[in-house]
Amino acid sequence: MNYPKIPLAQSIIQICLAKGVTQIVISPGSRNAPLTLGFVSNPEFTCYSIADERCAAFFAMGMAQQINKPVALVCTSGSAVLNYYPAFAEAFYSQIPLIVISADRPFSKIDIGDGQTIRQMNVLQNHSLFNANLTEGETDENDFKINEAITIAHRQKGPTHINAPFEEPLYQMTRKLTVDPTISAFGKVFKNISIEDIIACTNIWNSARKKLILIGVNGPNEIEQETIDILANDPSIVVMTEATSNVNHPTFLNHIDTIITPFKEKDFLAFQPEILITFGGMIVSKRIKALLRTYRPEHHWHIDPLRAYNTFGALAHHFEANPNDFFHQILPFTKTVKSDYAQTMQKIKNAREVKHQKYMEKVGFSDLKVFEITLSALPKQSVLQLSNSSAIRYALLFDFDPSISVFCNRGTSGIDGSTSTAIGAAVGNKKQTTLITGDIGFLYDSNALWNQYIPKDFKIILINNGGGGIFRILPGHQETKVFNTFFETSHCLTAEHLAKMYGFDYTIASDEASLKSGLTALFDQNSKPAIFEVFTPTLDNDKILLQYFKELV
């Protein structure tokens, strides 16, 4: 086997292998040649070449999202590493393990006017869980830092940065390893909830008649069915979820905005919980966040082994445990209290469903109608990736088959990288994956299609309403040139030529009949990846959505 001749590159590669980091996404360059040649030469690694660093980083993040293990990114020196930052920040807030390994010039070459040199040390530090600034050569300190970067990414579920300076020559290889790096164990971290916290928690729990459990972004099958059933059958508990929660039960309130948007003052007061329990990642609904900030719970507990955000200004306790462990330790000490909280919310849910159905029966072809038809057509046991802005918000108004796993980049909620993430996820999970995206997000990340790893059964459903339609439902919308150009970003572009250039099957729809027939054909065809572009009426979508919420009352 061939190895890079530079000892530091050997150390990085050997430590990655020993600690199970075997998925490597590489962006072509010269300064990273020792790493590239070393990773690619070793059959224990699976390497991917993606030229656009921003796309590469989201691709790697999508893979890590699915395999729940760190994926490494390798780039050359200079501005390359800066292009990793959007995905790096998303990985930080979405708690996805990612390891950036950036090649650097020797420190003596920084700030002397040499090409492709920037100050790379700590360049990602605002969102990095650990920064391993290495020195040239093989040292125990370098080994410690490399180990620590991988361990922290794995254990704390987030991004870390390894910056490695290499001096020329860069391309020399050897048949013999010259390093024997130190390998540290990951170790296990498990925290029991203290008996004092259990007693305090259950005393409050057992006296509360209104408990709200709000579940954010969650991986599929993470919450045990026994726990779900207990929560669902407690009359004092209301469970609210979103599609990205990936937690299902017939009694759970899955459409938060549909439930609370028509609330009046008395409804808010009746809904206001005594205890709010949250777990999982970010919540999409702006309305539930606004409601709970105004009508704050007496107690807000967040359950997460790593971190907690005071989203509602009422955080009383952070239980550093995963939700299953928390409920295992707490529920045996709880008792059922008399309450009509769950029953009242079920009545509201049922009434909203009737109104929802009546409106959808009469609504014309629009973004709203497209989502209703499209979501019901998704294959069972598949993976759905949603882009941000309009796509995720429309999707939250409808039901999904519970066998479908749903994902969206909700850490920073940016439109950048949704397509790249979806492709990386499709590579990582080997399941049939569909991305539903808007036109602006798709065009913004069009370089995502520029790689050779896209599975043949990967589908993109592109909803093209001619601009950033979400801005039409936000305050400040006016039909002016300034709005259309600088907010909505109006355009007349389509994906047709991109599809042809990158070898995608391409079909379109512009009415209900062509949408339904097109969806059937889309999921019947798996010979090559496909883009199904659906054109909706720019000037009608916002009116139809706003009227939807009015008619829920």
Side-chain angles (χ1 to χ4, degrees), residues 299-321:
H299 308 276
H300 173 202
W301 305 334
H302 187 71
I303 309 164
D304 188 280
L306 298 172
R307 63 179 92 160
Y309 297 109
N310 191 13
T311 303
F312 312 103
L315 184 65
H317 199 85
H318 172 202
F319 289 96
E320 296 181 35

Side-chain angles (χ1 to χ4, degrees), residues 356-373:
H356 168 92
Q357 194 58 41
K358 284 184 177 179
Y359 186 76
M360 293 311 301
E361 287 172 359
K362 68 180 181 181
V363 72
F365 191 73
S366 58
D367 285 351
L368 188 66
K369 194 67 177 178
V370 167
F371 272 90
E372 179 195 35
I373 294 170

Side-chain angles (χ1 to χ4, degrees), residues 145-202:
K145 290 178 179 179
I146 299 164
N147 275 280
E148 196 72 0
I150 297 171
T151 296
I152 288 174
H154 176 85
R155 184 186 291 167
Q156 298 185 25
K157 295 188 181 300
T160 59
H161 180 202
I162 299 171
N163 191 60
F166 298 127
E167 181 58 284
E168 297 177 3
L170 302 169
Y171 294 85
Q172 292 183 343
M173 301 291 283
T174 179
R175 301 285 293 178
K176 185 178 179 180
L177 274 173
T178 59
V179 303
D180 184 18
T182 301
I183 310 296
S184 65
F186 282 119
K188 293 184 178 180
V189 178
F190 178 81
K191 297 180 181 179
N192 275 308
I193 301 173
S194 70
I195 189 65
E196 292 81 10
D197 280 347
I198 291 175
I199 293 171
C201 175
T202 52

Side-chain angles (χ1 to χ4, degrees), residues 212 214 238 240 242 253-273 283-293 295 312 341 345 348-349 352 397 548-549 552-553:
L212 174 64
L214 181 60
V238 168
M240 283 187 154
E242 298 182 322
L253 308 185
N254 304 321
H255 313 304
I256 297 174
D257 286 359
T258 302
I259 295 289
I260 67 175
T261 298
F263 273 5
K264 306 296 183 186
E265 175 71 17
K266 64 180 179 61
D267 302 310
F268 289 132
L269 292 170
F271 175 75
Q272 183 178 11
I283 297 294
V284 178
S285 172
K286 294 175 67 175
R287 289 181 171 92
I288 193 65
K289 285 183 275 194
L291 187 159
L292 292 171
R293 286 166 184 161
Y295 300 87
F312 312 103
Y341 191 46
M345 295 308 298
I348 293 172
K349 175 186 175 181
R352 297 283 193 267
L397 302 176
Y548 167 79
F549 286 110
L552 289 173
V553 179

Side-chain angles (χ1 to χ4, degrees), residues 13-31:
I13 292 164
Q14 292 306 306
I15 295 172
C16 282
L17 181 59
K19 296 176 83 77
V21 181
T22 58
Q23 302 293 316
I24 315 295
V25 180
I26 302 170
S27 293
S30 181
R31 188 60 51 170

